Amino acid sequence: MTPQTHLALLLPGKRAQLIIASVPDVSPGAGEIAVKVRALAVNPFDRYVQAVGDVVTGYLAYPAVIGTDVAGEVVALGPGVSRFRIGDRVLGHAAGIEKCRNKAAEGGFQELVLLLAHMASPIPADLSFENAAVLPLGLSTAACGLFQKDFLALAPPRVDPVPTRETVLVWGGSSSVGSNAIQLARAAGYDVATTCSPANFDYVRQLGAAHVFDYRRPSVDAEIVDAMRGRQVVGAITIGKGAAAACMRILAQCEGRRFVAQASAPASFDDVTGTPGRWRKLLPALAKMVAGSIALKLLAKRTGLETKMIWGGSLIENEVGKMIYGAFLPEALSRKIYAAMPPSEVVGHGLQSISEAMARQRRGVSARKLVVTL
Ligand SMILES: NC(=O)c1ccc[n+]([C@@H]2O[C@H](COP(=O)([O-])OP(=O)(O)OC[C@H]3O[C@@H](n4cnc5c(N)ncnc54)[C@H](OP(=O)(O)O)[C@@H]3O)[C@@H](O)[C@H]2O)c1
């Protein structure tokens, strides 16, 4: 019998150009489901794996398939999977580039992906694939920062939240990670203070933020400290340039837990390409990364704070992944307690549109998730 094949966007080697190629279908292993991908979303990290994979994912086996955010239909079940049926509509965090998985068959940017069943959720009939695909990495990263025991360790999210009267600071609330952090913190019973551009104030309020600030105002630190007077602040999750340092300065003046969960690294690899001559951009970026990390550690020491970088895939191996994708999200989506945000913008159809979506992502988005349909 001829083996079945499908198309995948392959990364053939370190820093190589992405190519579309035919690859064999792989049957799901224990605890996995095979999903026909109908929509996928791009994240800043997809670019980093392609351009600076030698630095950020040195363990990766090639050819690799990058991409984490997918939605589609279940077409096969691996041994031991009872949560799903063939034909179910799902979203999932594709784990192919995680060190603990490291398998091209589990990368998101292809027509057929193997998902870990505990990192997938059924989606309601009225949630389109392109809207569902916006969630996975933003949701996972926010959940790692808010709920993992070695981060903010907040009470778990519920469909019927119990108010804690405590506040979480989400710096960068209109980003993908921030949109999920606001909603998750609210579902866990916390008030949310957040920052974004004024154009997105209404957006973050609709997601549930009670206190909203413009991060570009020189007085923003003082404004937040003022608003938090008399409140218990349980820590911060930080997105964007300068976010971690700002939150440290703020938390040092607030009552409560002094912990900053960093989603954004202290410097960006956005300008680094995979092409020859890249060292001219890569070396300064690496130097900034090291200097920025040292500066944050020193600031943390001076202000008596803890700070730690989030790895948005770490929930795969702990209780948080199952809690989010299994216990919370399916019911929260079907009862409309959780929204698939930020809103999707479909860049194109077919694997060939992913490079354009990644290029647009690099130019910057605001309260939007760039999606490709398949
Ligand atoms: N550690 C991990 O595992 C992990 C995983 C995923 C993402 N990340 C990182 O987390 C960050 C967010 O990723 P994403 O996909 O959520 O990004 P995104 O949606 O593409 O980010 C765009 C948004 O970020 C906001 N923003 C930019 N700079 C900001 C700043 N200095 N302060 C506050 N808000 C700012 C913008 O807000 P306005 O338009 O309102 O100004 C915009 O809405 C990136 O740095 C990404 O690399 C890390």
Side-chain angles (χ1 to χ4, degrees):
M1 221 166 65
T2 336
Q4 298 284 303
T5 60
H6 64 275
L7 293 178
L9 189 68
L10 282 185
L11 180 60
K14 272 180 196 165
R15 307 190 307 272
Q17 292 300 305
L18 295 165
I19 54 162
I20 297 175
S22 185
V23 297
D25 292 0
V26 180
S27 299
E32 289 184 327
I33 54 177
V35 171
K36 182 175 161 44
V37 178
R38 299 288 301 276
L40 54 89
V42 299
N43 286 285
F45 198 64
D46 303 327
R47 295 197 309 277
Y48 296 166
V49 181
Q50 194 222 342
V52 281
D54 44 343
V55 180
V56 295
T57 48
Y59 53 82
L60 200 58
Y62 295 95
V65 175
I66 60 174
T68 51
D69 293 6
V70 297
E73 285 151 346
V74 177
V75 293
L77 305 174
V81 175
S82 54
R83 264 182 74 220
F84 295 99
R85 299 227 162 86
I86 288 171
D88 279 356
R89 303 170 74 253
V90 298
L91 64 77
H93 180 151
I97 57 148
E98 287 300 316
K99 198 173 190 174
C100 63
R101 304 303 301 175
N102 206 357
K103 290 179 187 159
E106 297 182 20
F109 292 172
Q110 55 188 325
E111 293 173 337
L112 184 76
V113 63
L114 300 185
L115 295 180
L116 294 165
H118 74 275
M119 293 299 292
S121 285
I123 57 172
D126 61 354
L127 180 58
S128 66
F129 290 122
E130 54 261 44
N131 288 342
V134 305
L135 280 178
L137 188 62
L139 170 67
S140 291
T141 306
C144 289
L146 297 177
F147 303 118
Q148 282 184 172
K149 291 193 176 77
D150 53 343
F151 283 83
L152 297 190
L154 301 186
R158 299 165 49 127
V159 289
D160 51 350
V162 181
T164 62
R165 300 180 195 288
E166 295 173 323
T167 304
V168 180
L169 178 53
V170 177
W171 191 285
S174 62
S175 65
S176 283
V177 176
S179 300
N180 283 284
I182 294 171
Q183 294 194 80
L184 284 174
R186 291 293 299 137
Y190 298 84
D191 288 335
V192 173
T194 195
T195 66
C196 61
S197 292
N200 291 321
F201 277 12
D202 285 347
Y203 167 73
V204 295
R205 282 195 184 108
Q206 275 164 23
L207 293 177
H211 312 272
V212 183
F213 305 89
D214 176 357
Y215 61 88
R216 291 190 185 86
R217 278 170 66 90
S219 55
V220 63
D221 292 12
E223 289 169 25
I224 297 176
V225 170
D226 236 26
M228 293 301 108
R229 241 177 268 291
R231 294 172 183 277
Q232 285 291 315
V233 185
V234 291
I237 178 164
T238 61
I239 294 118
K241 197 174 166 197
C247 287
M248 284 191 200
R249 293 190 301 266
I250 292 163
L251 290 188
Q253 300 171 68
C254 294
E255 291 296 320
R257 178 134 191 251
R258 299 184 156 194
F259 195 107
V260 172
Q262 285 175 253
S264 296
S268 155
F269 288 120
D270 275 341
D271 292 333
V272 184
T273 60
T275 48
R278 64 200 289 266
W279 291 103
R280 279 195 293 277
K281 300 272 187 187
L282 181 56
L283 284 178
L286 285 171
K288 267 191 199 163
M289 193 71 77
V290 173
S293 301
I294 294 170
L296 285 176
K297 292 281 174 219
L298 291 175
L299 184 58
K301 203 166 174 199
R302 215 171 59 230
T303 48
L305 267 101
E306 264 182 276
T307 183
K308 198 166 171 188
M309 258 316 280
I310 302 167
W311 181 262
S314 53
L315 76 173
I316 289 170
E317 293 188 288
N318 61 44
E319 71 291 347
V320 176
K322 292 186 193 84
M323 172 180 93
I324 295 297
Y325 288 90
F328 173 68
L329 193 64
E331 194 182 351
L333 285 176
S334 72
R335 287 176 55 180
K336 312 265 179 276
I337 284 148
Y338 204 89
M341 288 288 171
S344 64
E345 182 179 335
V346 177
V347 174
H349 183 74
L351 294 172
Q352 70 282 1
S353 298
I354 294 175
S355 296
E356 186 194 337
M358 288 167 71
R360 278 194 49 192
Q361 224 284 336
R362 179 174 177 269
R363 293 199 292 275
V365 293
S366 178
R368 278 283 171 281
K369 193 87 185 176
L370 300 178
V371 166
V372 169
T373 54
L374 294 187

